[in-house]
Amino acid sequence: MVGAAGLLVLAAAGVARLVRVERRAPVPAIPVDLLRIPAYRAYAVATGALMGMLVVGLTVLPQLGSAYGMGPGQAGVMLSLLTVPSTVLPLLAARLARRLARWLVTTALSACAATAVVLQVADRPAALLVAAGVVGLALGLTEGVPDGQALRYVPARRGGAGAALFSTVRMTLETLVLAAATGAMTALGPTAGMAVAGAGCLAAALVVRRAVPSPAASPAENRGGLDASAG
């Protein structure tokens, strides 16, 4: 426990030092100032939570399926329901995102959170299939949506830096969700892992709802003055 706590303190100190150095650099390698943009930051949190739900689901659902007596065929269908929508729905997601991006992302996050709650009490293979389908649809209908929406709030000349930072934040949050879920699963069992991922999705939904402006607002209004300060 002491070793783990020491590593966490060391990691936090390293992150703080990195942010301090990058903020003072004339040409920062990591443009952390973009995280001052509320909508950009909110969508980064959202995609991290969604990807966290996916990786936790890929770990937890097969464990629960085995515990509930699910056969190999059903397990294959379950994993297909979880993953296939992300390959067939992005075009539809892009069309819906033109007018409904904020609603689409918050609804998907809320659906994932609700599914995690249901899995705390459900103990049948059918419930796992439904859960996989709901999470799969949520992921498929938001595939690439937070990414594209976040970059609308980044000054055009900093689009490349914004995309790189967004991916970094997403992968960092996804890793943190998986680590927390793994710890919960080790201590309390598989469903606890889904509870952690669901809590992350619920928190992200609240962040998006609060930080992302209504569709009528201009992206420039949400950049926090970065257009003037960047250069």
Side-chain angles (χ1 to χ4, degrees):
M1 183 65 69
V2 176
L7 288 174
L8 287 174
V9 171
L10 182 61
V15 170
R17 175 64 177 169
L18 175 64
V19 170
R20 184 178 182 182
V21 169
E22 290 299 312
R23 289 183 65 179
R24 293 182 174 182
V27 184
I30 303 176
V32 292
D33 62 306
L34 293 179
L35 293 175
R36 288 162 39 200
I37 305 173
Y40 177 90
R41 184 174 62 244
Y43 278 126
V45 170
T47 194
L50 288 168
M51 290 300 99
M53 175 61 77
L54 173 61
V55 295
V56 172
L58 288 171
T59 301
V60 171
L61 291 180
Q63 294 183 40
L64 293 177
S66 177
Y68 299 161
M70 180 178 282
Q74 286 181 307
V77 170
M78 178 179 66
L79 291 177
S80 296
L81 289 172
L82 184 63
T83 57
V84 170
S86 293
T87 67
V88 299
L89 293 180
L91 289 178
L92 176 60
R95 291 190 176 188
L96 292 174
R98 293 173 186 172
R99 292 182 176 271
L100 302 171
R102 181 172 177 262
W103 176 86
L104 193 63
V105 173
T106 54
T107 300
L109 288 164
S110 299
C112 288
T115 300
V117 172
V118 171
L119 287 177
Q120 304 307 303
V121 296
D123 59 357
R124 297 180 181 276
L128 298 182
L129 292 173
V130 173
V134 171
V135 173
L137 284 173
L139 294 170
L141 289 174
T142 54
E143 181 70 27
V145 173
D147 313 54
Q149 292 298 311
L151 293 179
R152 293 177 62 237
Y153 297 92
V154 174
R157 61 182 175 276
R158 305 188 69 190
L165 179 63
F166 191 91
S167 296
T168 300
V169 173
R170 179 192 64 203
M171 294 179 66
T172 300
L173 293 176
E174 175 185 339
T175 301
L176 291 174
V177 170
L178 180 59
T182 300
M185 286 188 286
T186 302
L188 303 172
T191 56
M194 291 300 289
V196 170
C201 287
L202 178 59
L206 295 175
V207 169
V208 172
R209 184 176 180 83
R210 181 172 182 175
V212 176
S214 64
S218 168
E221 298 174 9
N222 200 246
R223 287 180 184 148
L226 290 187
D227 283 305
S229 62

